[in-house]
């Protein structure tokens, strides 16, 4: 009896001899990434062209590359473009970081703003404002310090002959509420102008951002984004469980620590640049996963979704309301229903507690 030979679809798999590399091409994922990139580009270009001094779409694009009259160049390159670039980079950093943590812990609710990292940054910044430390340390430096200290506490307290995603989530949630309580106390203790400044930063705001915020974040992402993508294959083995991952040759604790450092670095510098913009790291990976039809949040698509989420929300916050709102208000309004949907879905699946 003749046997039927199954052949893979043309172009589905690839293999390169030098350097030794193989993988599988996913047409739907590639299409989603291309569409997200195009949509983000259009939103950024639209944001750069809109404002109190109107500029045509073509003039804005010419000014981005340094062509145009001095007034247009000043408005685009020094006032509008830095804000759009910071929003794009912050959104990408948050989306990619959320994908890392959700894949590492195998939990759709695990994101930096749900397990305490951004709250640690908020506590440090508010403490600096209330106690006057901002005269020697910038809010960016305080945000970085608070994020890394919180991440170290989560990792140390979750350690028991190694760490697991479940313990990281539980410890992170506990420390999140401790940090939130400390922040509320500091805001209540501070004077009126201090409380106002603290609340403005805690909301997540891109107003007044310039190249001094964009450059450190861009340099950091030039290192951490390739590292996160390189760790992607090892990340997926963790989804099979620690025992299976060890059997496949994965050094689980080393990989988990590398993922933690990479994800925390992304969210730390993103928070330092734009503040703790709510729900981006939670929602973007889940949206990207549904768009791409994958079994896990795809890192690159999650980053692009986060970039589109933040830049689109900032454009809406600046142009759709009588007064300019912080971007964190819009992302919170859009992200809260996604959180409720994830909780309902988890309960229906029997994993919601």
């Amino acid at each position: 009896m003749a046997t039927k030979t199954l052949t893979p679809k043309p172009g589905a798999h690839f293999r390169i001899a030098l350097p030794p590399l193989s993988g599988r091409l996913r047409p739907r994922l590639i299409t989603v990434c291309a569409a997200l990139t195009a949509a983000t580009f259009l939103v950024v270009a639209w944001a750069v062209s809109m404002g109190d001094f109107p500029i045509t779409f073509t003039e804005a694009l010419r000014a981005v590359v340094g062509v145009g009259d001095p007034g247009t160049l000043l408005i685009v390159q020094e006032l509008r473009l830095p804000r759009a670039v910071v929003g794009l980079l912050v959104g990408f950093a948050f989306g990619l970081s959320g994908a890392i943590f959700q894949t590492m812990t195998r939990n759709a609710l695990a994101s930096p703003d749900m397990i305490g990292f951004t709250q640690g940054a908020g506590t440090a910044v508010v403490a600096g404002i209330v106690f006057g430390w901002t005269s020697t340390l910038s809010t960016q430096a305080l945000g970085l310090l608070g994020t890394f200290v919180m991440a170290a506490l989560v990792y140390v307290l979750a350690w028991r002959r190694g760490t697991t995603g479940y313990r990281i989530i539980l410890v992170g949630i506990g420390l999140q509420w401790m940090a939130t309580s400390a922040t509320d106390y500091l805001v209540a203790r501070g004077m009126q102008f201090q409380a106002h400044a603290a609340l403005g930063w805690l909301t997540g705001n891109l107003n007044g951002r310039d190249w001094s915020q964009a450059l450190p974040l861009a340099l950091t992402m030039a290192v951490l984004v390739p590292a996160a993508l390189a760790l992607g294959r090892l990340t997926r083995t963790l989804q099979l469980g620690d025992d299976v991952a060890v059997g496949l040759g994965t050094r689980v604790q080393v990989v988990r620590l590398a993922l933690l450092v990479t994800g925390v670095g992304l969210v730390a510098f993103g928070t330092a640049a734009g503040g703790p913009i709510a729900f981006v790291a939670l929602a973007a990976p889940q949206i990207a996963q549904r768009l791409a039809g994958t079994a896990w949040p795809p890192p690159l698509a999650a980053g692009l979704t986060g970039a589109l989420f933040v830049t689109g929300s900032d454009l809406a916050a600046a142009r759709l309301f009588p007064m300019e709102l912080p971007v964190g208000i819009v992302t919170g309004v859009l992200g809260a229903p996604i959180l409720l949907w994830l909780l309902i879905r988890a309960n229906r699946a029997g994993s919601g507690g």
Side-chain angles (χ1 to χ4, degrees):
M1 185 175 69
T3 59
K4 183 179 180 181
T5 303
L6 297 177
T7 57
K9 295 180 180 180
H13 298 268
F14 69 91
R15 184 182 297 274
I16 301 174
L18 288 175
L21 181 66
S22 63
R24 179 183 177 187
L25 294 177
R26 299 177 181 273
R28 178 173 171 178
L29 178 58
I30 295 173
T31 302
V32 168
C33 289
L36 290 170
T37 301
T40 304
F41 173 79
L42 291 175
V43 170
V44 170
W46 189 12
V48 169
S49 65
M50 293 184 65
D52 295 331
F53 183 81
I55 301 173
T56 65
F57 193 83
T58 303
E59 289 175 338
L61 292 180
R62 285 165 54 86
V64 168
V65 296
V67 179
D69 62 85
T72 302
L73 291 177
L74 175 65
I75 292 173
V76 171
Q77 294 190 348
E78 299 300 326
L79 299 178
R80 297 180 184 174
L81 187 59
R83 173 174 177 161
V85 170
V86 170
L88 186 152
L89 294 176
V90 169
F92 194 100
F94 281 6
L96 179 55
S97 179
I100 290 173
F101 285 108
Q102 290 179 9
T103 305
M104 180 181 69
T105 60
R106 295 186 292 167
N107 192 315
L109 298 177
S111 69
D113 47 358
M114 297 297 290
I115 54 179
F117 297 153
T118 54
Q119 284 77 10
T123 301
V125 170
V126 173
I129 293 173
V130 172
F131 296 123
W133 299 339
T134 51
S135 59
T136 55
L137 291 173
S138 65
T139 56
Q140 285 183 286
L142 289 168
L144 288 172
L145 180 62
T147 305
F148 284 119
V149 168
M150 179 62 77
L153 286 174
V154 170
Y155 188 79
V156 170
L157 294 177
W159 181 272
R160 192 178 63 187
R161 296 189 299 275
T163 60
T164 64
Y166 181 73
R167 287 205 299 271
I168 288 174
I169 293 173
L170 288 181
V171 172
I173 290 175
L175 291 177
Q176 171 204 357
W177 285 107
M178 293 176 64
T180 301
S181 299
T183 301
D184 291 342
Y185 167 76
L186 290 170
V187 171
R189 174 178 172 172
M191 292 182 286
Q192 184 175 359
F193 75 93
Q194 293 174 330
H196 181 76
L199 290 174
W201 189 88
L202 289 171
T203 305
N205 202 335
L206 299 178
N207 297 343
R209 294 301 183 265
D210 55 31
W211 294 115
S212 65
Q213 282 91 25
L215 184 58
L217 180 56
L219 294 175
T220 302
M221 293 181 64
V223 176
L224 294 181
V225 171
L229 297 179
L231 289 168
R233 182 181 63 85
L234 298 176
T235 304
R236 290 192 287 274
T237 63
L238 296 182
Q239 290 186 300
L240 303 175
D242 289 0
D243 294 336
V244 176
V246 170
L248 293 174
T250 301
R251 301 175 64 184
V252 172
Q253 297 306 324
V254 174
V255 172
R256 190 168 282 136
L257 179 60
L259 290 169
L260 184 65
V261 171
T262 303
V264 169
L266 287 167
V267 74
F269 280 88
T271 303
I277 302 175
F279 288 115
V280 179
L282 174 71
Q286 293 302 307
I287 295 173
Q289 181 177 347
R290 269 78 187 166
L291 290 174
T294 57
W296 61 87
L300 184 59
L304 292 171
T305 303
L308 179 60
F309 193 12
V310 172
T311 53
S313 297
D314 187 49
L315 180 62
R319 304 302 170 204
L320 295 184
F321 301 94
M323 60 179 296
E324 190 169 344
L325 298 176
V327 64
I329 294 178
V330 178
T331 61
V333 170
L334 296 176
I338 297 176
L339 174 61
L340 293 176
W341 174 76
L342 289 174
L343 290 172
I344 293 171
R345 184 172 177 271
N347 279 327
R348 286 177 178 174
S351 59

